[in-house]
Amino acid sequence: MKLKSLFALAAATIAAAAFVTSCDDADNDFHQFYWQGTHNNNALIVYADQTEDSIKVTSTDTWTYTCESDWMQMSVNGKPAPDTLVVRKGYIDRSRATFTFTPNTTGQERTATFTLTNPTKHIGSFSPVFTQKPYLNISLPVYDSTTGTFTLKNINSEGLYSATTKDGVTHTAKPVITFTVYADGAELTGFDDCDWLTHTLSPADIRKNVLCTDTLKVSRNTTGHQRSVTLTLKSNGVSTPITVVQN
């Protein structure tokens, strides 16, 4: 029994390809076919203002690609789907598949599927799924999937973020908001409507594809009751509210 094929189906949740082998008496051909994300989002998740992403496809055989979506387009080496990428026998081809998206202004999460097919026996095809979120990429505060909101809580009356460990030790720090936008001209608004909250991030500091950190300065709360304000992160026609709550 001789080695027939060695191929990989790269699962959408892992970075490394998973290889499977099979045997056939026909020949000793070596076959390889897998994809990998080029960013650290191998789960193929994109955000509402994101308009592009890509993967790398490795193959020892000619393969085809298709994409049917009204908000996502796919191309390989500049050729839009559907098409075929020809790989010469005895070669390993590594090509970049590029995806473009329209901003998600629907307010709902949406998905789109593309299909990569290797007609070689024992390999076949697989269909990864892109998921585009209805909100922007905000790291802090953490998204609450139950309420569908971003809320920065646990700010004490002195204006500091307060958290208590399992050992009962309380730590305080200046509250921050962190986010990444994928378009020029993004802005974080709402501070002008609040007389007890200011921030350090200037419009020039908000750059696309860069993790931005905005340190908040919260005044002492002497009102005797909880207060809150809603800020708005805007990028590429999408707006995501962020609520800041002080005890």
Side-chain angles (χ1 to χ4, degrees):
M1 186 172 285
K2 300 177 181 178
L3 184 65
K4 168 61 181 176
S5 63
L6 176 63
F7 66 92
L9 299 183
T13 57
I14 59 175
F19 291 89
V20 181
T21 62
S22 63
C23 295
D24 196 308
D25 289 330
D27 55 49
N28 278 330
D29 287 348
F30 171 84
H31 300 278
Q32 182 174 329
F33 187 47
Y34 66 93
W35 67 268
Q36 290 176 296
T38 57
H39 301 131
N40 59 356
N41 59 337
N42 228 38
L44 298 183
I45 293 175
V46 294
Y47 292 88
D49 64 331
Q50 201 165 345
T51 58
E52 60 182 7
D53 204 343
S54 63
I55 64 172
K56 291 181 180 178
V57 181
T58 299
S59 181
T60 55
D61 307 281
T62 295
W63 55 280
T64 62
Y65 53 97
T66 60
C67 177
E68 295 185 7
S69 171
D70 57 0
W71 60 269
M72 182 178 82
Q73 292 76 44
M74 175 185 183
S75 63
V76 178
N77 298 334
K79 297 181 178 180
D83 207 339
T84 299
L85 190 144
V86 177
V87 181
R88 295 171 57 189
K89 185 176 178 58
Y91 285 78
I92 298 179
D93 179 82
R94 295 179 177 87
S95 292
R96 183 184 298 271
T98 302
F99 302 86
T100 57
F101 321 103
T102 58
N104 187 1
T105 57
T106 67
Q108 302 294 323
E109 182 175 287
R110 59 187 182 182
T111 60
T113 303
F114 62 97
T115 301
L116 309 176
T117 302
N118 184 321
T120 304
K121 185 180 179 181
H122 304 306
I123 296 184
S125 65
F126 48 95
S127 300
V129 178
F130 265 102
T131 299
Q132 189 176 39
K133 298 296 185 179
Y135 47 80
L136 302 175
N137 186 4
I138 300 168
S139 308
L140 289 176
V142 176
Y143 179 70
D144 187 332
S145 60
T146 302
T147 62
T149 59
F150 292 91
T151 304
L152 182 58
K153 300 180 290 186
N154 299 325
I155 299 177
N156 62 27
S157 60
E158 298 300 317
L160 296 175
Y161 178 82
S162 178
T164 303
T165 66
K166 294 181 179 180
D167 298 330
V169 180
T170 299
H171 298 276
T172 59
K174 293 181 179 180
V176 298
I177 294 173
T178 61
F179 57 87
T180 305
V181 294
Y182 301 96
D184 292 320
E187 56 181 345
L188 182 60
T189 65
F191 295 96
D192 293 341
D193 301 325
C194 182
D195 59 3
W196 52 271
L197 179 66
T198 59
H199 67 140
T200 58
L201 201 67
S202 70
D205 294 326
I206 302 178
R207 296 174 292 161
K208 69 177 183 179
N209 301 321
V210 175
L211 179 64
C212 299
T213 299
D214 196 357
T215 302
L216 307 182
K217 182 178 181 180
V218 184
S219 301
R220 184 178 180 184
N221 187 1
T222 59
T223 65
H225 57 80
Q226 189 180 81
R227 59 186 178 182
S228 65
V229 63
T230 298
L231 310 175
T232 303
L233 181 63
K234 303 176 180 179
S235 178
N236 214 9
V238 180
S239 297
T240 299
I242 304 171
T243 301
V244 179
V245 180
Q246 183 184 25
N247 296 323

